[in-house]
Amino acid sequence: MQNRKKANYVRTTQQINPCSMESESNFAEVTGNKPMDSAEKRLNELGYKQELRREMTMFKTLAISFSTMTLFTGITPLYGSSLQYAGPASLVWGWLVVCFFTWFVGIAMAEICSSFPTTGSLYFWAAHLAGPKWGPFSSWCCAWLETIGLIAGIGTQAYAGSQTLQSIILLSTGTNKGGGYFAPKWLFLCMYIGLTVIWAALNTFALEVIAFIDIISIWWQVIGGTVIVIMLPLVALTTQPASYVFTHLELAPDSTGISSKPYAVILSFLVSQYSLYGYDAAAHLTEETKGADKNGPIAILGSLGIISVFGWAYILALTFSIQDFAYLYDPNNETAGAFVPAQILYDAFHGRYHNSAGAIVLLFVIWGSFFFGGLSITTSAARVVYALSRDKGVPFSFLWRKLHPKYKVPTNAVWLCAGICILLGLPILKVNVVFTAITSICTIGWVGGYAVPIFARMVMPEKNFKPGPFYLGKARRPICLVAFLWICYTCSVFLLPTLYPITWDTFNYAPVALGLGLGIIMLWWVLDARKWFKGPVRNIDAQNGKV
């Protein structure tokens, strides 16, 4: 039995010689004698037929990948809390430290993406890299971590987008001091649900629509980000000196309950760790991207490079433009102390022009970033659910794997993700730390999913790996080791308490939620799934050309 499993695994992963007449004949049968894209050929070798439309260019894939990371959506909602933990220097230098280690993760994933250009991406990678013995279990763990992270990621975008819209409404109606309207929890929840439904509706249409919107997104964020980075310090009446921005550490034990400087610095890095992931979106679209074995890695590293540069510039612009550090957190200030970046923008424009119009415009630019980010994450989440359903790894898989007959997109999977995301947001009505919990769940699930294939790639025999155009060679083991250790550290810190003393209103619910969810998934594996889940299910017999 063990030998049979090994033989099946080898047949799944071995390369078919493209020079042989038999292979050419087999692939011609599968593709109808049309010219075969290199990534489609590799997809056939891995055991999948081309079902999704392969129409995405490298730039479109880069646009969606960048939109999933986005320039503002990671930094903006966590900027205030991270600044408060340890002051500006820790926040500013923390971005560079996190960027450095994140590049190891991105490079490791780019190599794997080049070899496995499939929509299943991470969990497919885990199955093949871990080998016949551990492949199914690795695939199962990776698939569910990734699914949890992506669906929670939709929630983070919906929450932060609603928070930004709440500030826009408040400033537009007279500010907190002038009798402006501060959206209550029930309306905040309605905005959260509304954004989620809109993203699902847009993802119901052809992928070209999403790609077009994401092309707008990349220019929106690059141009809008450039305007904010340049304009904000110029508009502010005064700017902080470089010594303050780059060297000043300031704890806030009265507000955070944290008096340990190392612990405060660790928590101040959370904004950077939350912002610098999502570049795997390019991998989720590889079955829809032309030349994905080359363009997938380019999109991963390209989006990571753009966000590394622009993200730091955005942090510097906000930090240099602070007028009064303590006033940013005053519940009686113009933004009710609810959204620090909004207060920084208000102070700058109101101080210069005595009105909040400029701040409202730039907040709208930031809100657009959340909108585009949530749309892209919904796209990625639906692709992962579709791919896992295609391999029968989700309850009622026959429903979630269905494609729209006209647009060829996984419509049912889209709405499943939206429905779960809405359920995650319902505690907004009663609990004040919903965003902290969803953010932690999102980061641990999403980034934790990266760890499984990277670890498998690090320990697997090199002779079993078929490299794609992007290949690390002997450098793969040290790169993968650093990447894996960094992911483990990142997941650990998002489980830490972020406020003291610990009460019902300050408790980080992520460990409980994740422990319960992952516990059920592991119990399902032990009791049942291990008997039938064997990882990715081939729908092509690449050895004899049969579909």
Side-chain angles (χ1 to χ4, degrees), residues 421-434:
C421 175
I422 290 171
L423 292 177
L424 285 175
L426 293 181
I428 288 172
L429 293 173
K430 293 293 183 180
V431 181
N432 294 324
V433 290
V434 171

Side-chain angles (χ1 to χ4, degrees), residues 31-49:
T31 60
N33 292 316
K34 63 182 180 181
M36 183 177 292
D37 180 276
S38 60
E40 181 179 346
K41 186 172 183 178
R42 177 61 176 150
L43 183 68
N44 291 165
E45 293 172 2
L46 292 167
Y48 283 105
K49 63 182 177 180

Side-chain angles (χ1 to χ4, degrees), residues 140-212:
W140 178 264
C141 295
C142 185
W144 279 106
L145 280 169
E146 188 178 15
T147 301
I148 290 170
L150 280 165
I151 294 176
I154 303 172
T156 63
Q157 300 301 298
Y159 190 100
S162 301
Q163 192 176 39
T164 306
L165 189 57
Q166 184 182 51
S167 295
I168 292 173
I169 295 171
L170 179 61
L171 294 181
S172 299
T173 54
T175 77
N176 184 49
K177 284 187 171 181
Y181 183 73
F182 188 77
K185 289 183 177 181
W186 69 266
L187 182 56
F188 191 98
L189 178 61
C190 289
M191 291 189 289
Y192 175 98
I193 294 173
L195 283 172
T196 304
V197 170
I198 290 171
W199 293 332
L202 288 173
N203 269 282
T204 303
F205 299 104
L207 189 65
E208 303 94 85
V209 175
I210 305 300
F212 175 75

Side-chain angles (χ1 to χ4, degrees), residues 219-382:
W219 292 115
W220 177 284
Q221 293 179 81
V222 169
I223 295 173
T226 302
V227 169
I228 291 175
V229 166
I230 295 175
M231 179 179 290
L232 183 56
L234 292 177
V235 169
L237 282 177
T238 61
T239 57
Q240 295 292 338
S243 59
Y244 175 82
V245 173
F246 293 107
T247 65
H248 183 68
L249 287 176
E250 180 180 349
L251 274 61
D254 293 338
S255 300
T256 65
I258 297 171
S259 56
S260 167
K261 187 175 292 186
Y263 191 67
V265 169
I266 287 173
L267 292 181
S268 73
F269 280 23
L270 292 181
V271 62
S272 305
Q273 290 167 292
Y274 170 62
S275 303
L276 288 164
Y277 65 88
Y279 37 86
D280 60 305
H284 302 313
L285 299 169
T286 48
E287 287 186 37
E288 298 160 88
T289 302
K290 299 174 183 177
D293 51 346
K294 303 180 186 70
N295 291 331
I298 292 174
I300 288 173
L301 299 179
S303 58
L304 185 54
I306 294 172
I307 198 71
S308 296
V309 174
F310 272 90
W312 199 50
Y314 179 47
I315 288 175
L316 289 175
L318 287 173
T319 309
F320 270 108
S321 302
I322 293 172
Q323 301 300 297
D324 184 341
F325 180 87
Y327 188 64
L328 295 176
Y329 302 93
D330 188 343
N332 296 314
N333 67 18
E334 288 78 6
T335 57
F339 202 38
V340 167
Q343 187 64 40
I344 293 175
L345 291 171
Y346 176 85
D347 288 344
F349 282 92
H350 190 268
R352 175 76 64 179
Y353 302 110
H354 306 293
N355 65 70
S356 58
I360 293 170
V361 170
L362 294 189
L363 279 172
F364 180 74
V365 172
I366 294 171
W367 179 85
S369 182
F370 287 113
F371 181 85
F372 293 130
L375 183 65
S376 295
I377 294 175
T378 303
T379 304
S380 294

